[in-house]
């Protein structure tokens, strides 16, 4: 059973409380009670103990438990007992009549005094309070009951406040718990979002082959509408005889148009060099382009008007021509992809000419139909004549007339009416402007096709003129001409550096690696080199072509280049140039040792054999200067190459160790001499700097002494005037 804290303080002695007990037992009435309260108050304020509280041991009193002792003396009151007593007093007070002749104000003042004393001292002398409540005075009982009621109300209010505080605390805890739960839920959602990969939408990359293939598909219905809509609108027989075919083709092209609009909305574009794949951005970008409006116009279902005017009115579908930009885009991309761009450009121009002539022919037939067939000499003849009533004759006649008019190369029947004159004048103007542009472009393309040949021929002509001017022998002149013919026949006239100069260095390196790297790796001394050095060397390879009988190198020549055979055959021959020791073919190489300049080599940097071209040979040449320039950035590779070359020479017995050591000693002496020279130069510079410093110190000292002399010559009057001027 839980107990509340005792509401009394331990007393020092029990004997000190005896006079107060005797006085309380004799006192009767309210006056005695007031005196009792006063005495108890005076006695207990000084020691903070009740006058009737016996002194207790910390653990037990006379063998009795402390809690039992306190309960027996009435000093321990639990909550339940306190409530029971207060309820019994309250019930008893309802039956007690009011007594006493005191005024209401006096009683109210006494009640307030008792209440204050009770609140202050109930925690210090509970037994005195209990004795006061057990007094025989009914007025005091009533007052005590009223005090109890007030205390009960206050306790109720306190309990209500406590309950409210507890409820608030509980609400706060619940809110915190709910907030934590919500946070956990949000965290879980975030974790799920992080775990779930983002949805990938289908995006059309315009740089892929798929996009080009789709352009090819869209170009077919676009070209169909461009050619057949005007034809069906002008030649009614063509529309009437094949109605179901045209309906099928029309609505098939419409389906492709709708799909193409969706593809356009999902076609990516580059932003800061990266392909944008956000559908919203792609849609916004597509809406900002002019083609978006053209696509909307092309998709307007104008066919619904055919329900009112008839199904054989294809001119209602002319809005489909707003898709022509896709056809032009297809032509541009095809021109970029084809290996024969000049031929494609010429074919494209011819196609444009045919389209213009076709449209002009259809318009001529439509005007003739409006004015009446055979009404004059300019319009199409009367179709009642069987010869001119056939559909094929109608179209061919109109096409012939359109061709003659636009090209202005033939005579046509003169116009009769004003509208005919206007139409012919318009045709002439269009023919002059358009065909002048087209013919000019064709001429430029033909010139470009022959540009390389013209440039090559100019080189041959200049060399021929030079040889004639210098009176070169006919045999040598014939060899030069044959060499040029071989270059043109084998398409080896282009200068690689000139062609690749517009590319960035990285692309140049990739092309060179793709073309030459495998060939360079075949050389023994370059097989284990790092990739960076090989790339540098690949960029420095120079292609060379030799004619039959040409010497690539002769015995005793200074080796400034090494060679790698790309195509052809080379023979190692004797001094007579006839006897062949060995034949070198594709992938062979020679001259690599001479360009390294290995110390101690018996041959030095001289060629040790005669090498002659058997037929036409294509070689790659790497010069010594280019190799050394590349090796400056790779000192470890240079040392490794020299060691490999030395090992090859030692294996073939072509190295002199004594000469190598002498060369090393000579190099050491040269280095020491170079260091001495540098040291002398540095000493001379230091001497000059020291002299300059001493001279500057002397000048400074001279200036200081001059200033001191000037200061000594100043008089006191001058100094006083200066001081006065400063004060002013």
């Amino acid at each position: 059973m839980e107990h509340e804290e005792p509401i009394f303080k331990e007393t020092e002695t029990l004997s000190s409380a005896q006079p107060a007990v005797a006085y309380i037992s004799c006192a009767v009435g309210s006056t005695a009670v007031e005196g009792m309260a006063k005495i108890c108050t005076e006695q207990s304020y000084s020691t903070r103990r009740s006058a009737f509280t016996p002194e207790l041991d910390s653990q037990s009193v006379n063998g009795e438990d402390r809690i039992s002792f306190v309960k027996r003396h009435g000093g321990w009151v639990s909550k339940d007992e306190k409530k029971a007593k207060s309820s019994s007093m309250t019930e008893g007070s309802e039956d007690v009549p009011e007594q006493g002749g005191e005024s209401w104000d006096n009683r109210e003042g006494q009640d307030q005094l008792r209440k204050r004393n009770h609140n202050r001292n109930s925690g210090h002398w509970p037994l005195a309070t209990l004795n006061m409540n057990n007094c025989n005075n009914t007025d005091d009982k009533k007052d005590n009951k009223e005090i109890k009621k007030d205390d009960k109300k206050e306790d109720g209010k306190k309990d209500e406040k406590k309950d409210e505080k507890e409820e608030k605390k509980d609400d706060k805890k619940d809110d915190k718990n709910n907030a934590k739960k919500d946070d956990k839920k949000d965290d879980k959602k975030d974790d799920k979002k992080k775990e779930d990969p983002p949805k990938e939408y289908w995006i059309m990359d315009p740089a892929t082959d798929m996009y080009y293939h789709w352009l090819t598909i869209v170009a077919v219905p676009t070209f169909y509408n461009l050619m057949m809509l005007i034809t069906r609108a002008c030649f009614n027989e063509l529309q009437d005889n094949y109605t179901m075919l045209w309906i099928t083709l029309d609505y098939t092209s419409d389906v492709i148009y709708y799909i193409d609009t969706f593809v356009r909305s999902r076609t990516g574009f580059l932003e800061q060099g990266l392909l944008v794949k956000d559908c919203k951005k792609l849609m916004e970008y597509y809406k900002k382009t002019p083609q978006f409006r053209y696509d909307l116009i092309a998709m307007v279902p104008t066919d619904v008007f055919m329900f009112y005017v008839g199904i054989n009115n294809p001119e209602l579908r002319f809005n489909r021509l707003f898709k022509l930009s896709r056809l032009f885009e297809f032509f541009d991309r095809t021109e970029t992809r084809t290996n024969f761009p000049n031929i494609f450009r010429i074919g494209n121009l011819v196609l444009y000419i045919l389209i213009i002539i076709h449209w002009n022919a259809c318009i001529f037939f439509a005007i003739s139909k409006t004015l009446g067939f055979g009404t004059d000499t300019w319009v199409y003849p009367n179709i009642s004549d069987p010869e001119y009533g056939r559909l094929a004759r109608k179209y061919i006649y109109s096409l012939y007339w359109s061709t003659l008019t636009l090209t202005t190369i033939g005579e046509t029947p003169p116009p009769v009416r004003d509208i005919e004159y206007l139409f012919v004048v318009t045709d002439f103007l269009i023919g002059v402007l358009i065909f002048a542009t087209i013919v000019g472009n064709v001429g430029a393309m033909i010139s470009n096709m022959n540009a390389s040949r013209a440039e090559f021929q100019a080189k041959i002509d200049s060399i021929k003129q030079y040889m004639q001017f210098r009176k070169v022998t006919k045999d040598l002149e014939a060899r030069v001409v044959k060499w040029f013919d071989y270059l043109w026949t084998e398409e080896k006239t282009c200068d690689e550096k000139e062609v690749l100069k517009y590319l960035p260095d990285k692309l140049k390196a990739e092309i060179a690696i793709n073309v030459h790297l495998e060939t360079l790796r075949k050389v023994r001394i370059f097989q284990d080199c790092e990739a960076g050095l090989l790339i540098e060397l690949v960029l420095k390879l120079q292609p060379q072509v030799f004619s039959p009988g040409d010497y690539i190198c002769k015995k005793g020549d200074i080796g400034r280049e090494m060679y790698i055979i790309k195509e052809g055959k080379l023979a190692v021959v004797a001094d007579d140039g006839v006897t062949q020791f060995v034949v070198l073919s594709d992938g062979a190489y020679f001259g690599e040792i001479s360009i390294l300049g290995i110390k101690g080599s018996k041959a030095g940097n001289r060629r040790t054999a005669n090498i002659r071209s058997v037929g036409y040979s294509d070689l790659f040449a790497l010069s010594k200067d280019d190799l050394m320039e590349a090796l400056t950035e790779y000192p470890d590779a240079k040392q490794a190459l020299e060691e490999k070359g030395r090992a090859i020479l030692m294996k073939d017995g072509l190295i002199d160790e004594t000469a190598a050591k002498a060369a090393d000693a000579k190099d050491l002496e040269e280095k020491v001499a170079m260091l001495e020279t540098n040291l002398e130069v540095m000493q001379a510079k230091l001497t000059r700097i020291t002299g300059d410093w001493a001279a500057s110190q002397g000048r400074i000292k001279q200036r200081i002494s001059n200033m001191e002399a000037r200061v000594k010559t100043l008089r006191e009057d001058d100094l006083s005037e200066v001081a006065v001027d400063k004060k002013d």
Side-chain angles (χ1 to χ4, degrees):
M1 177 179 178
E2 296 180 358
H3 298 282
E4 294 186 0
E5 292 294 331
I7 56 176
F8 66 92
K9 300 293 182 179
E10 294 180 359
T11 57
E12 295 178 357
T13 59
L14 187 62
S15 59
S16 61
Q18 290 177 359
V21 173
Y23 181 81
I24 292 171
S25 64
C26 297
V28 179
S30 61
T31 306
V33 174
E34 292 175 1
M36 168 63 189
K38 185 176 181 180
I39 292 170
C40 293
T41 302
E42 291 175 354
Q43 288 183 355
S44 55
Y45 265 124
S46 59
T47 60
R48 304 297 294 175
R49 294 175 301 182
S50 172
F52 302 99
T53 304
E55 184 175 358
L56 298 177
D57 188 30
S58 60
Q59 298 295 333
S60 64
V61 178
N62 296 327
E64 187 178 6
D65 185 47
R66 179 178 179 181
I67 297 173
S68 302
F69 180 82
V70 171
K71 280 190 174 184
R72 187 165 58 81
H73 287 276
W76 187 284
V77 184
S78 65
K79 284 185 177 180
D80 297 334
E81 292 173 354
K82 189 184 291 184
K83 290 181 180 179
K85 287 182 181 181
S86 62
S87 61
S88 62
M89 289 179 180
T90 305
E91 293 174 357
S93 64
E94 292 176 358
D95 299 333
V96 177
E98 295 181 2
Q99 294 180 3
E102 298 173 351
S103 64
W104 177 257
D105 295 335
N106 189 15
R107 290 179 62 188
E108 187 176 359
Q110 292 178 0
D111 292 339
Q112 291 178 357
L113 179 62
R114 291 193 194 100
K115 189 173 182 179
R116 184 168 61 252
N117 292 333
H118 173 74
N119 291 334
R120 289 180 179 177
N121 304 321
S122 60
H124 305 290
W125 51 79
L127 296 179
T129 306
L130 182 63
N131 289 330
M132 287 174 66
N133 291 335
N134 291 331
C135 185
N136 294 327
N137 193 333
T138 56
D139 294 334
D140 295 335
K141 287 181 180 180
K142 188 173 181 179
D143 295 336
N144 292 334
K145 288 177 182 179
E146 291 177 355
I147 292 170
K148 292 286 184 179
K149 287 181 180 180
D150 295 335
D151 294 340
K152 188 176 181 181
K153 290 180 181 179
E154 290 179 359
D155 293 337
K157 291 180 180 179
K158 290 180 180 179
D159 293 336
E160 289 177 358
K161 290 180 180 179
K162 289 180 180 180
D163 294 337
E164 289 178 357
K165 290 181 179 179
E166 290 176 357
E167 289 177 358
K168 289 181 180 179
K169 290 181 180 179
D170 294 336
D171 293 338
K172 288 181 180 179
K173 289 181 180 179
D174 294 336
D175 293 338
K176 289 181 180 179
N177 293 330
N178 293 330
K180 289 180 180 179
K181 290 179 180 178
D182 294 336
D183 293 337
K184 289 181 180 179
K185 289 180 180 179
D186 294 336
D187 294 338
K188 289 180 180 179
K189 289 180 180 179
D190 295 336
D191 295 337
K192 288 181 179 179
K193 288 181 180 178
K194 291 179 181 178
E195 292 175 0
D196 296 337
K199 293 183 179 179
E200 294 184 358
Y201 298 97
W202 178 80
I203 302 298
M204 176 68 80
D205 187 355
T208 58
D209 293 336
M210 183 179 180
Y211 183 77
Y212 176 73
H213 297 330
W214 175 249
L215 276 180
T216 306
I217 295 172
V218 177
V220 173
T222 306
F223 187 75
Y224 157 76
N225 287 324
L226 177 63
M227 298 297 291
M228 298 309 299
L229 284 180
I230 186 68
T231 309
R232 290 159 51 194
C234 296
F235 297 92
N236 295 333
E237 295 179 23
L238 184 64
Q239 173 66 26
D240 297 338
N241 295 338
Y242 306 98
T243 303
M244 294 305 299
L245 175 63
W246 305 131
I247 291 175
T248 303
L249 294 176
D250 287 346
Y251 290 110
T252 302
S253 65
D254 289 347
V255 171
I256 295 175
Y257 277 14
Y258 288 128
I259 297 174
D260 181 61
T261 303
F262 172 75
V263 172
R264 270 186 172 275
S265 65
R266 291 293 182 87
T267 301
F269 64 94
L270 295 179
E271 186 177 58
Q272 296 181 354
L274 299 175
L275 183 67
V276 177
K277 296 183 179 180
D278 189 356
C279 295
K280 293 182 179 179
K281 286 186 177 181
L282 295 178
M283 192 64 189
E284 292 175 358
Y285 178 80
Y286 176 50
K287 288 180 179 179
K288 293 178 181 178
T289 59
Q291 188 58 39
F292 174 70
R293 295 187 290 272
Y294 299 152
D295 290 345
L296 289 181
I297 296 172
M299 291 191 302
V300 173
T302 54
D303 299 39
V304 296
F305 295 104
M306 291 184 180
F307 292 107
Y308 302 99
V309 297
I311 197 170
N312 291 324
N313 289 279
E315 58 270 11
L316 294 175
R317 294 178 53 84
F318 274 12
N319 61 320
R320 271 62 173 180
L321 297 177
F322 281 91
K323 275 280 187 179
L324 282 177
S325 61
R326 294 299 256 178
L327 183 63
F328 298 144
E329 185 179 359
F330 167 72
F331 288 154
D332 292 339
R333 287 186 176 266
T334 304
E335 182 180 348
T336 305
R337 287 170 169 261
T338 184
N339 293 327
F340 307 98
N342 290 321
I343 296 175
F344 179 79
R345 293 189 191 106
I346 294 174
N348 202 12
L349 285 174
V350 172
L351 179 62
Y352 289 157
I353 293 171
L354 293 176
I355 292 172
I356 294 171
I357 293 174
H358 169 77
W359 271 70
N360 192 56
C362 293
I363 295 172
F364 166 75
F365 188 82
I367 293 174
S368 299
K369 181 171 60 175
T370 304
L371 297 177
F373 297 116
T375 55
D376 56 42
T377 58
W378 184 82
V379 298
Y380 186 79
N382 196 340
I383 61 174
S384 59
D385 187 352
E387 184 179 355
Y388 296 101
R390 294 181 295 111
L391 178 61
R393 174 56 66 90
K394 292 177 182 178
Y395 178 73
I396 293 172
Y397 182 93
S398 301
L399 190 67
Y400 171 75
W401 182 93
S402 177
T403 305
L404 292 179
T405 304
L406 289 176
T407 56
T408 65
I409 59 175
E411 294 183 359
T412 58
V416 177
R417 305 177 188 180
D418 294 340
I419 189 172
E420 296 171 358
Y421 277 106
L422 291 175
F423 180 71
V424 171
V425 169
T426 305
D427 269 3
F428 285 157
L429 292 176
I430 292 173
V432 169
L433 295 175
I434 292 178
F435 278 87
T437 304
I438 291 174
V439 170
N441 289 333
V442 171
M445 283 187 290
I446 294 174
S447 299
N448 291 332
M449 291 175 65
N450 296 328
S452 58
R453 176 63 184 178
E455 183 180 358
F456 183 73
Q457 191 64 40
K459 292 180 181 178
I460 296 177
D461 294 340
S462 62
I463 291 175
K464 285 181 178 180
Q465 291 176 2
Y466 175 80
M467 289 189 294
Q468 290 176 0
F469 177 74
R470 295 298 180 183
K471 297 180 180 181
V472 178
T473 61
K474 295 295 183 180
D475 185 21
L476 183 57
E477 184 177 351
R479 288 175 56 193
V480 171
V481 172
K482 288 181 180 179
W483 183 80
F484 273 106
D485 289 341
Y486 171 78
L487 292 181
W488 180 256
T489 304
E490 298 296 327
E491 297 180 352
K492 298 178 180 180
T493 58
C494 64
D495 187 359
E496 292 186 1
K497 288 186 176 181
E498 186 68 21
V499 172
L500 300 177
K501 70 179 181 179
Y502 301 105
L503 295 177
D505 294 338
K506 294 297 182 182
L507 286 179
K508 285 182 185 178
E510 289 185 12
I511 293 175
I513 289 169
N514 192 11
V515 175
H516 306 311
L517 185 61
E518 292 301 323
T519 304
L520 190 64
R521 284 185 183 276
K522 295 177 182 179
V523 182
R524 282 183 297 174
I525 61 174
F526 297 137
Q527 286 178 354
D528 298 329
C529 291
E530 54 186 300
L533 177 60
L534 291 178
I535 293 172
E536 291 286 339
L537 296 178
V538 159
L539 292 172
K540 297 180 184 301
L541 290 178
Q542 299 294 329
Q544 294 183 6
V545 179
F546 292 90
S547 302
D550 291 345
Y551 278 95
I552 288 84
C553 62
K554 289 186 177 182
K555 189 174 182 179
D557 293 343
I558 297 174
R560 296 186 177 90
E561 293 176 329
M562 70 163 290
Y563 296 94
I564 304 171
I565 303 174
K566 179 184 178 184
E567 185 180 0
K569 291 184 178 181
L570 303 179
V572 180
V573 296
D575 295 337
D576 57 4
V578 178
T579 307
Q580 295 183 359
F581 298 112
V582 67
V583 177
L584 306 176
S585 59
D586 299 352
Y589 54 90
F590 56 92
E592 72 277 9
I593 303 299
S594 60
I595 65 173
L596 289 175
I598 298 174
K599 300 169 186 177
S601 175
K602 293 180 179 179
N605 60 346
R606 302 283 180 172
R607 302 293 187 185
T608 58
N610 300 315
I611 300 178
R612 189 175 185 181
S613 177
V614 178
Y616 286 101
S617 304
D618 295 341
L619 280 67
F620 289 118
L622 178 64
S623 67
K624 182 178 181 179
D625 296 336
D626 291 338
L627 177 62
M628 293 305 163
E629 182 183 354
L631 289 175
T632 53
E633 303 294 336
Y634 301 92
D636 296 337
K638 181 179 180 180
Q639 184 177 359
L641 289 175
E642 289 178 351
E643 291 177 357
K644 287 182 179 180
R646 189 177 292 107
I648 293 171
L649 291 176
M650 290 180 66
K651 182 179 179 181
D652 297 337
L654 297 176
I655 192 169
D656 188 355
E657 296 292 341
T658 306
K661 293 179 180 179
D664 292 338
K666 186 177 180 181
D667 291 340
L668 183 60
E669 291 177 358
E670 290 178 355
K671 291 180 180 179
V672 171
M674 187 178 295
L675 288 174
E676 290 177 351
T677 304
N678 293 334
L679 181 60
E680 291 177 357
V681 172
M682 292 177 65
Q683 287 178 349
K685 290 181 179 180
L686 181 61
T687 303
R688 186 174 66 255
I689 292 171
T690 305
D692 294 340
W693 181 78
S696 62
Q697 290 292 320
R699 287 194 297 271
I700 292 172
K701 290 180 180 179
Q702 184 64 32
R703 292 178 63 186
I704 292 173
S705 58
N706 292 336
M707 291 177 65
E708 290 177 350
R710 291 179 61 188
V711 170
K712 290 179 179 179
T713 58
L714 292 176
R715 295 177 298 176
E716 295 181 0
D717 297 338
D718 297 334
L719 295 175
S720 61
E721 290 177 359
V722 172
V724 171
D725 292 338
K726 287 184 177 180
K727 289 180 180 180
D728 295 338

